[in-house]
Amino acid sequence: MSIKRVLMVGGYTQAIEYAKLAENIHLTFIQHKNRLRPQDLQIADVVHMMELNDNPDLEEFIRYLHRIRPFDAVLSVTEFSLLTASKMAEEFGLLNTPVKAVENTRDKYKMRQQMLASNCNPVRFSAVNNFEEIVRFFQSVGGPIILKPIDGTGSKGVRLIMDMSELEEQKSRNSILFPCLVEEYIDGVEFSVETITLMDDIRCWLSQKN
């Protein structure tokens, strides 16, 4: 069985440990120097330290690595690097999550639009660029709203605004980053759906690449 070259863009120690459980894997890991842990250097076969967010040189660097020794897979396990990994894998002709699907899930406004087009969006929403637009949206729904970054992750920056006084408080703190997404608040039971890819599935895919 030939060695499969895998590039992981961003991530964490447990993720590269899981990747190395697969047989005949040569793992290249790109990580920001401030997020790199000593054990990562021992687990991955090759480690490159590089800025991952808003770095115009990242994709060209990945192309350079691919030209030297082509990768069999390019992936990421962190939200902010998903789009980069998908673009590179698509460019290299590798199995990947479609770029459009990643763009639609990383951009919460695009995701809401996609859901609306599929008739499965029960929530009124809008992308806003200033405080006045938030006020108009609040008045139009006539009740509590949710404020959230368009490209955020892990519920960071998500706020529940119950009334106008809370909205004015957010304005006084200058804590709203524009553009952002506003949604009407719906009270009820919250469900979270997670997915897990088992290592056996990855081994199966890698064996099919032989």
Side-chain angles (χ1 to χ4, degrees):
M1 183 181 293
S2 61
I3 300 295
K4 300 301 179 183
R5 289 177 46 77
V6 176
L7 172 63
M8 183 179 293
V9 185
Y12 44 89
T13 301
Q14 190 176 31
I16 58 178
E17 286 178 334
Y18 285 157
K20 288 295 290 183
L21 289 176
E23 298 177 358
N24 300 307
I25 288 291
H26 182 281
L27 180 65
T28 299
F29 184 47
I30 301 180
Q31 180 62 292
H32 189 282
K33 63 180 181 179
N34 293 341
R35 295 178 177 269
L36 197 64
R37 303 173 66 182
Q39 53 266 49
D40 299 341
L41 300 171
Q42 300 174 357
I43 302 169
D45 297 289
V46 177
V47 175
H48 297 284
M49 290 180 288
M50 196 169 194
E51 174 62 55
L52 299 180
N53 297 332
D54 300 320
N55 182 0
D57 297 324
L58 177 59
E59 291 185 6
E60 187 54 44
F61 180 66
I62 294 174
R63 293 186 185 99
Y64 167 76
L65 296 177
H66 186 68
R67 286 195 298 269
I68 296 175
R69 294 184 64 188
F71 294 109
D72 296 291
V74 179
L75 57 92
S76 180
V77 294
T78 60
E79 288 194 50
F80 289 109
S81 296
L82 288 175
L83 187 56
T84 296
S86 179
K87 285 181 177 179
M88 293 293 93
E90 183 175 282
E91 183 176 314
F92 301 155
L94 304 175
L95 186 67
N96 70 298
T97 303
V99 171
K100 184 174 179 59
V102 177
E103 290 176 338
N104 285 341
T105 52
R106 286 293 300 123
D107 185 312
K108 293 181 174 60
Y109 180 60
K110 288 183 178 180
M111 182 175 66
R112 282 294 183 194
Q113 288 179 310
Q114 193 72 19
M115 294 173 67
L116 184 62
S118 302
N119 296 317
C120 60
N121 182 76
V123 178
R124 286 176 287 180
F125 66 95
S126 179
V128 294
N129 295 289
N130 53 60
F131 183 77
E132 289 70 26
E133 290 181 357
I134 298 178
V135 172
R136 285 197 292 271
F137 181 82
F138 186 97
Q139 293 171 339
S140 69
V141 300
I145 62 171
I146 297 292
L147 279 177
K148 61 177 63 173
I150 286 179
D151 63 350
T153 179
S155 297
K156 185 177 181 180
V158 177
R159 302 175 179 86
L160 169 61
I161 306 297
M162 297 299 297
D163 52 42
M164 288 300 299
S165 63
E166 290 186 9
L167 190 55
E168 290 291 345
E169 182 181 353
Q170 293 293 328
K171 181 183 180 181
S172 65
R173 292 180 180 178
N174 198 29
S175 60
I176 305 174
L177 297 179
F178 296 102
C180 63
L181 182 68
V182 288
E183 302 170 343
E184 67 172 323
Y185 173 69
I186 297 179
D187 189 19
V189 179
E190 180 179 356
F191 295 90
S192 178
V193 179
E194 313 293 341
T195 62
I196 298 175
T197 300
L198 301 178
M199 293 307 299
D200 285 343
D201 297 332
I202 296 177
R203 291 192 185 100
C204 178
W205 171 74
L206 289 172
S207 67
Q208 293 172 355
K209 295 288 286 183
N210 277 337

